[in-house]
């Protein structure tokens, strides 16, 4: 059985049919010449001949029959037998309803006083083929299916949503359509992924991206934090430090080289930034190839569907769109003390710093602080990390402390329970000399220290306070600038969505933003239903001894399930690669947290050791599949590897048994 189709048509002022070359992007005539239209016709040329004939009959009668989809919306129009242009009404609405929702949509149009013309698929010949054509061209399986003014609106929920956000009214009014189907504010990983996906689905898309320079004047190209001043340069400089350690190990493996080994900051910085530059260019090319309009300008809402874009020269341009996606990301937070913005740098500046930082004070205990402090120390620099309270807040504290202890053993100094109160310049230069005055968080003790560079890494602030969200009523958490959304990344304003680091209570990770962006575009424009899963997201902190995790920390698991209902299996281990150089014996650590109430299902995975990202990724898949301790025990490990330790864990924390390992 197939659901009936109801065609609803709004009777408004007529307009002359435009020739194909002048039709709007979503018109049927332009789509007739599209590759997708050709492919669909070739695929269905046998089974839907009569259905197409019926559609032709509708258009001959002067009616609209919209066959449109997320990928290639089309609008059936025909000339009359006289050969003269068909005069049609610009605002017509078609709905193909199903049982239980038809009345709701019809009531909406009745309330709006929109005249309706009904076509029931079960009452016409080849109605099933009509249904198949709609599915093929819209990707929407559910009913009803609503089309307005050459645009595919979607089902009942999407139609009601369009009514709430005002876009339905505009379509029915015959007013000029929005310039864009979608405007994405922010050109980071999530925003780019979403915009490209929407464009692939046939939508007219714009991306607005603008990097406000740091107090030091640093700026960068398209791609957001991850590519320019985050994951990519961080990992490459971490690898630089890893190679330094490898050269020390190499002598123990028989490599002989007598010359002094030194590191050249400028060579590394230039190579890293050249690679980043190639990525920036690649992103611009990808947007162009997918017909996404990229504008390097700062966006600010001035009306619910209208933004002002200001470029670096101060020129203002205005754009409208049916929907908006906020993907503005975050920027490093400053301390608000004398001298912080004048003399200190953040991770936004570090990776393109023109000179070697020299003796460095890293303020903060975030993953950014520990990663940067770690690779700077790995380059042979004198590094001190100032910690106000704990390391890696939000992560498993057992693992965080072990990572910190390893850093201390390898030369990084930690100044705990202190906060800076003032930064002064003693001598200008590249690098210069700075004096930092700090105060104890526990006593009245005040200390001073001299450094060449002070790197602030105390957290990040969402870039949501200067984009006009207050003007359109989008709710924002006033404490942190985060935006609360529902499980479909929709804000309280129906036509405005948000993805990435600015979301309240979600992971601040690049792959999460990319996944959320792609899935959001598919839900909006393809009729898909899959939502981003923010549970059991694997991640890695690239400290000198890398820390990978997935799922709950031990603290969080205890809070949720109770200490009596979880079991923690753990072990130290010594990677084979470390044995010949004789370093870091039993400093690597593995831990599984299992829920005893759920067949010992693994709810927390934690790994401290080399190649943590590669190890954690695989176990992240296993946890997505609901892996249990028994299943891991039944898995044969690959020998000799670090990851195999998770197939042999048999000592629990509660037992207090010895977890040190020796030999293979």
């Amino acid at each position: 059985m197939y659901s009936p189709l109801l065609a609803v048509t709004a009777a408004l002022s007529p307009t002359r049919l435009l020739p194909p070359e002048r039709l709007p992007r979503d018109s049927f005539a332009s789509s007739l010449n599209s590759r997708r239209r050709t492919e669909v016709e070739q695929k269905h040329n046998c089974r839907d001949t009569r259905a197409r004939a019926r559609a032709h009959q509708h258009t001959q009668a002067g009616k609209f029959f919209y066959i449109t989809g997320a990928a290639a919306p089309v609008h059936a129009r025909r000339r009359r037998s006289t050969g003269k242009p068909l005069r049609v009404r610009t605002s017509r609405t078609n709905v193909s309803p199903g049982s239980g929702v038809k009345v709701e949509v019809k009531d909406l149009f009745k309330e709006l006083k929109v005249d309706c013309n009904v076509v029931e698929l079960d009452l016409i010949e080849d109605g099933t083929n009509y249904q198949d054509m709609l599915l093929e061209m819209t990707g929407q399986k559910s009913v009803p299916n609503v089309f307005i003014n050459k645009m595919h609106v979607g089902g009942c929920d999407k139609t009601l949503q369009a009514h709430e956000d005002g876009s339905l009214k505009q379509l029915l009014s015959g007013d000029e359509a929005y310039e864009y189907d979608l405007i994405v504010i922010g050109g980071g990983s999530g925003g780019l992924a979403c915009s490209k996906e929407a464009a692939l689905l046939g939508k007219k898309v714009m991306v607005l991206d603008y990097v406000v320079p740091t107090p030091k004047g640093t700026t960068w190209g398209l791609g957001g934090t991850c590519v320019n001043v985050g994951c990519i340069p961080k990992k490459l400089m971490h690898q630089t430090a890893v190679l330094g350690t490898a050269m020390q190990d190499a002598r123990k493996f028989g490599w002989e080289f007598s010359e002094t080994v030194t590191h050249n900051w400028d060579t590394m910085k230039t190579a890293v930034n050249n690679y980043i530059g190639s990525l920036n260019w690649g992103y611009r090319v990808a947007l162009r190839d997918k017909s996404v309009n990229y504008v390097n300008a700062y966006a600010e809402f001035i009306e619910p569907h209208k933004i002002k874009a200001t470029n670096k020269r101060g020129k203002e341009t205005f754009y409208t769109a049916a929907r908006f996606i906020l993907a503005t990301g975050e920027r490093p937070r400053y301390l608000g003390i004398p001298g912080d913005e004048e003399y200190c740098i953040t991770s936004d500046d570090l990776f393109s710093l023109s000179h070697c930082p020299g003796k460095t004070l890293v303020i903060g205990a975030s993953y950014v602080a520990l990663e940067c402090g770690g690779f700077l120390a790995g380059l042979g620099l004198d590094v001190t990390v100032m910690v106000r309270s704990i390391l890696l807040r939000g992560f498993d504290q057992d693992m965080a402390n072990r990572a910190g202890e390893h850093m201390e053993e390898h030369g990084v100094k930690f100044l705990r329970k202190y906060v800076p109160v003032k930064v002064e310049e003693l001598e200008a230069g590249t690098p210069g000399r700075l004096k930092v005055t700090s105060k104890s968080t526990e006593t009245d003790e005040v200390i001073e220290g001299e450094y060449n560079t002070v790197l602030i890494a105390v957290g990040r602030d969402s870039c949501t306070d200067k984009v006009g969200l207050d003007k359109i009523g989008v709710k924002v958490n006033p404490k942190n600038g985060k935006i609360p959304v529902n499980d479909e990344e929709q804000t309280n304003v129906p036509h405005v969505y948000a993805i990435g680091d600015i979301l309240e209570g979600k992971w601040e990770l690049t792959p999460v933003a990319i996944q959320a962006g792609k899935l959001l575009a598919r839900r909006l424009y393809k009729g898909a239903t899959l939502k981003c899963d923010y549970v059991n997201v694997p991640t890695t902190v690239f400290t000198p001894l890398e820390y990978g995790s997935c799922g709950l920390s031990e603290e969080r698991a205890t809070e949720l399930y109770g200490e009596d209902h979880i079991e923690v299996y753990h072990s130290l281990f010594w990677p084979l690669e470390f044995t010949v150089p004789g370093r870091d014996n039993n400093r690597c650590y593995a831990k599984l947290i299992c829920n005893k109430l759920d067949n010992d299902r693994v709810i927390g995975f934690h790994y401290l050791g080399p190649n943590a990202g590669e190890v954690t990724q695989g176990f992240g898949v296993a946890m997505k599949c609901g892996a249990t301790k028994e299943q891991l025990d039944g898995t044969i490990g690959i020998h000799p590897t670090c990851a195999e330790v998770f197939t042999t864990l048999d000592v629990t924390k509660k037992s207090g048994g010895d977890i040190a390992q020796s030999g293979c």
Side-chain angles (χ1 to χ4, degrees):
M1 294 292 294
Y2 54 83
S3 301
L5 173 70
L6 171 66
V8 182
T9 305
L12 292 174
S13 58
T15 182
R16 186 174 65 83
L17 175 65
L18 296 175
E21 66 272 13
R22 295 185 58 197
L23 284 172
R25 179 186 180 95
D26 285 341
S27 70
F28 175 77
S30 63
S31 297
L32 277 175
N33 298 321
S34 72
R35 183 160 50 112
R36 175 171 173 79
R37 168 72 173 163
T38 302
E39 291 172 351
V40 172
E41 284 191 339
Q42 290 174 347
K43 182 175 181 181
H44 296 283
N45 60 356
C46 293
R47 69 185 176 108
D48 65 3
T49 302
R50 287 179 296 175
R52 293 182 185 281
R54 174 65 75 177
H56 179 70
Q57 292 174 10
H58 287 307
T59 57
Q60 286 294 317
K63 301 174 183 177
F64 278 76
F65 187 75
Y66 296 89
I67 306 172
T68 184
V74 293
H75 174 201
R77 303 177 182 224
R78 295 288 188 273
R79 293 176 180 270
R80 297 183 184 273
S81 58
T82 60
K84 296 180 180 180
L86 173 66
R87 297 183 66 82
V88 297
R89 301 187 184 279
T90 60
S91 185
R92 304 282 184 113
T93 306
N94 290 356
V95 184
S96 60
S99 177
V101 290
K102 174 178 178 181
V103 174
E104 189 172 359
V105 175
K106 288 183 67 176
D107 287 347
L108 171 62
F109 286 111
K110 182 178 180 180
E111 178 186 339
L112 296 175
K113 298 181 179 179
V114 175
D115 293 333
C116 300
N117 183 13
V118 180
V119 177
E120 299 282 356
L121 279 188
D122 58 348
L123 300 181
I124 66 174
E125 186 181 7
D126 293 321
T128 303
N129 285 340
Y130 264 95
Q131 194 83 349
D132 292 341
M133 290 169 62
L134 286 170
L135 174 61
E136 179 71 31
M137 306 189 84
T138 68
Q140 180 177 318
K141 296 181 181 179
S142 62
V143 289
N145 218 332
V146 180
F147 305 82
I148 300 175
N149 235 10
K150 304 171 290 185
M151 288 185 63
H152 176 226
V153 177
C156 178
D157 290 344
K158 293 292 178 67
T159 304
L160 296 177
Q161 178 182 310
H163 175 54
E164 292 177 8
D165 66 31
S167 56
L168 182 67
K169 180 180 179 181
Q170 183 175 26
L171 288 170
L172 292 173
S173 69
D175 292 342
E176 182 181 355
Y178 298 119
E179 297 171 80
Y180 290 90
D181 298 309
L182 176 68
I183 289 181
V184 179
I185 302 176
S189 301
L192 294 180
C194 185
S195 65
K196 290 185 287 187
E197 191 72 18
L200 286 173
L201 294 173
K203 295 304 169 185
K204 188 177 181 182
V205 183
M206 168 182 278
V207 170
L208 285 155
D209 184 65
Y210 185 82
V211 178
V212 177
T214 72
K216 292 292 185 181
T218 307
T219 188
W220 49 86
L222 183 64
T225 295
C226 173
V227 170
N228 294 281
V229 291
C231 316
I232 299 301
K234 175 271 302 289
K235 180 70 181 295
L236 290 173
M237 293 192 179
H238 169 71
Q239 175 63 13
T240 305
V242 170
L243 289 173
T245 302
M247 284 190 290
Q248 297 174 21
D249 291 350
R251 298 182 189 273
K252 295 296 181 71
F253 283 95
W255 289 98
E256 297 179 355
F257 45 95
S258 57
E259 66 272 15
T260 301
V261 177
T262 59
H263 180 262
N264 187 300
W265 174 274
D266 187 64
T267 300
M268 175 192 68
K269 184 261 299 182
T270 300
V272 168
N273 283 276
N274 284 344
Y275 175 65
I276 292 172
S278 71
L279 295 179
N280 298 146
W281 174 250
Y283 292 136
R284 297 189 67 159
V285 170
L287 292 180
R288 183 190 64 196
D289 290 347
K290 292 175 176 59
S291 299
V292 175
N293 185 16
Y294 163 60
V295 177
N296 182 212
Y298 191 92
E300 180 183 356
F301 282 98
I302 58 172
E303 294 177 10
H305 288 271
K306 188 175 184 179
I307 60 166
K308 176 179 68 177
T310 308
N311 68 15
K312 61 182 179 181
R313 296 182 180 86
K315 180 182 178 182
E316 296 179 352
T317 310
F318 300 88
Y319 302 100
T320 61
R323 293 188 176 100
F324 295 85
I325 293 178
L326 304 171
T328 52
E330 297 181 310
R331 297 291 292 271
R333 181 182 309 132
Y334 283 84
L335 298 167
I337 62 173
D340 61 346
E341 295 191 19
E342 295 88 344
Y343 307 122
C344 302
I345 65 171
T346 69
S347 55
D348 281 357
D349 307 293
L350 176 63
F351 302 110
S352 59
L353 200 62
S354 62
H355 55 273
C356 180
K359 184 180 180 181
T360 302
L361 172 66
V362 179
I363 301 174
S366 64
Y367 71 91
V368 175
L370 298 192
E371 287 177 337
C372 292
F375 75 67
L376 289 176
L379 301 182
L381 303 183
D382 184 339
V383 176
T384 300
V385 177
M386 182 180 290
V387 182
R388 178 177 62 88
S389 55
I390 62 174
L391 302 180
L392 298 178
R393 184 177 301 278
F395 288 87
D396 187 286
Q397 284 302 290
D398 177 21
M399 305 301 295
N401 290 330
R402 290 176 183 273
E405 289 168 6
H406 177 268
M407 291 177 67
E408 284 191 282
E409 292 170 359
H410 288 264
V412 177
K413 296 184 285 292
F414 282 83
L415 191 57
R416 298 177 184 271
K417 306 294 183 181
Y418 280 90
V419 293
V421 294
K422 181 171 58 175
V423 180
E424 301 170 273
E425 184 179 58
L426 299 178
E427 179 183 337
T430 53
R433 285 194 307 122
L434 302 173
K435 183 174 75 171
V436 179
T437 304
S438 306
K439 183 180 183 300
S440 170
T441 60
E442 299 178 323
T443 68
D444 293 330
E445 182 183 9
V446 175
I447 61 173
E448 295 178 347
E450 288 189 16
Y451 306 91
N452 299 119
T453 299
V454 176
L455 172 67
I456 300 174
V458 294
R460 302 172 65 81
D461 290 325
S462 297
C463 299
T464 57
D465 60 332
K466 297 179 181 179
V467 293
L469 298 184
D470 56 325
K471 297 177 183 176
I472 62 171
V474 173
K475 291 182 180 178
V476 178
N477 185 331
K479 295 181 179 179
N480 55 20
K482 298 280 189 177
I483 298 177
V485 295
N486 61 19
D487 61 354
E488 294 193 349
E489 287 80 42
Q490 187 180 40
T491 71
N492 65 297
V493 176
H495 68 281
V496 179
Y497 298 77
I499 58 175
D501 294 357
I502 60 175
L503 298 190
E504 180 84 77
K506 299 293 191 288
W507 287 94
E508 299 177 6
L509 297 170
T510 296
V512 173
I514 293 173
Q515 178 85 325
K518 287 182 178 180
L519 295 180
L520 174 56
R522 292 169 189 169
R523 290 197 305 275
L524 292 177
Y525 303 119
K526 194 180 179 182
T529 58
L530 186 61
K531 303 171 186 176
C532 185
D533 186 356
Y534 293 94
V535 178
N536 288 339
V537 175
T539 186
T540 292
V541 181
F542 290 96
T543 40
L545 196 58
E546 299 170 6
Y547 165 36
S549 70
C550 183
L552 302 176
S553 66
E554 191 173 342
E555 294 86 358
R556 182 60 174 159
T558 301
E559 178 184 342
L560 289 177
Y561 299 103
E563 186 175 355
D564 293 337
H565 296 141
I566 65 170
E567 197 71 81
V568 179
Y569 297 86
H570 65 153
S571 178
L572 295 168
F573 63 96
W574 195 15
L576 183 63
E577 299 89 334
F578 293 2
T579 58
V580 172
R583 65 178 175 89
D584 296 324
N585 187 356
N586 276 295
R587 289 294 180 268
C588 297
Y589 182 67
K591 177 166 70 174
L592 288 177
I593 305 168
C594 302
N595 181 5
K596 295 164 65 175
L597 299 176
D598 188 17
N599 196 31
D600 268 348
R601 192 169 306 282
V602 179
I603 57 174
F605 171 94
H606 301 274
Y607 170 91
L608 185 68
N611 305 306
E614 313 301 331
V615 173
T616 305
Q617 183 68 80
F619 284 97
V621 174
M623 289 184 64
K624 275 288 185 189
C625 297
T628 64
K629 180 63 167 59
E630 182 180 18
Q631 289 172 328
L632 292 183
D633 291 343
T635 301
I636 297 175
I638 301 173
H639 186 72
T641 64
C642 295
E644 67 176 318
V645 67
F646 288 100
T647 66
T648 60
L649 292 177
D650 57 6
V651 179
T652 67
K653 267 196 172 184
K654 291 176 182 176
S655 72
D658 184 16
I659 59 173
Q661 301 293 313
S662 61
C664 291

